[in-house]
Amino acid sequence: MTVRAPVSLLPLLWPATDADCTPLARVWRRAWCSANPSVASVAPPDHWEARVRAEFGPPCVTLVRAEGPEVTAFLVLDPAQAHVHQLFVDPDWQGQGVGAELVQQVHRLCPVGWTLHVATANSGARRFYARHGLVEGLVDTHPVTGRERVSCRWLPTLAVAAD
């Protein structure tokens, strides 16, 4: 008799592989559309998958978060720069602590501090990062998209001061 582990015992977080490209692209596109509802035209899924293949590799580490077989979120981290390039949660999983789990993972991987950029228009993400102790800094424009963004920084000393 073969005993199978319950779904809840499956790994919830793992380093991305080539097999993860399509589900990562799906989550990225869905979350991006949710955060940008006024955008009239969104690139097709194959565009997002090509970007995953081009942008989520070394020197970055991509971590996939899943609930059973369903990919629910991911983060792309450059550990040498302590910079999060991407952190997206599927809209169906937002507000359930999934993003907070990923932020905690970044804290563990970058305990002396880390940075990220967030679109200035993405007020939900800005509130989320502020709740998790990130402090906003300079506003600039993304070098490829031209969208306005704000830099955010987490330092353990800032997090302690906020408590």
Side-chain angles (χ1 to χ4, degrees), residues 10-144:
L10 292 174
L12 291 178
L13 196 64
W14 67 84
T17 68
D18 285 341
D20 296 312
C21 286
T22 299
L24 288 174
R26 182 184 83 56
V27 168
W28 194 10
R29 185 175 191 265
R30 283 177 44 79
W32 191 90
C33 289
S34 175
N36 297 280
S38 64
V39 174
S41 177
V42 178
D46 61 335
H47 164 84
W48 296 87
E49 189 167 333
R51 285 194 61 193
V52 167
R53 292 186 187 286
E55 299 175 27
F56 288 19
C60 293
V61 172
T62 300
L63 297 177
V64 180
R65 199 274 185 192
E67 194 70 36
E70 181 182 357
V71 172
T72 57
F74 67 88
L75 75 90
V76 181
L77 171 69
D78 181 341
Q81 301 296 316
H83 184 78
V84 173
H85 288 277
Q86 308 288 349
L87 191 158
F88 280 93
V89 176
D90 187 278
D92 291 344
W93 289 89
Q94 291 175 5
Q96 299 181 47
V98 173
E101 288 176 25
L102 293 179
V103 167
Q104 291 303 312
Q105 185 67 27
V106 180
H107 290 342
R108 286 189 287 279
L109 295 169
C110 304
V112 298
W114 52 278
T115 62
L116 62 76
H117 287 97
V118 63
T120 56
N122 192 343
S123 57
R126 291 174 74 180
R127 284 190 306 273
F128 170 81
Y129 291 121
R131 280 194 312 273
H132 290 280
L134 280 85
V135 176
E136 291 189 353
L138 298 176
V139 174
D140 67 3
T141 56
H142 189 282
V144 175

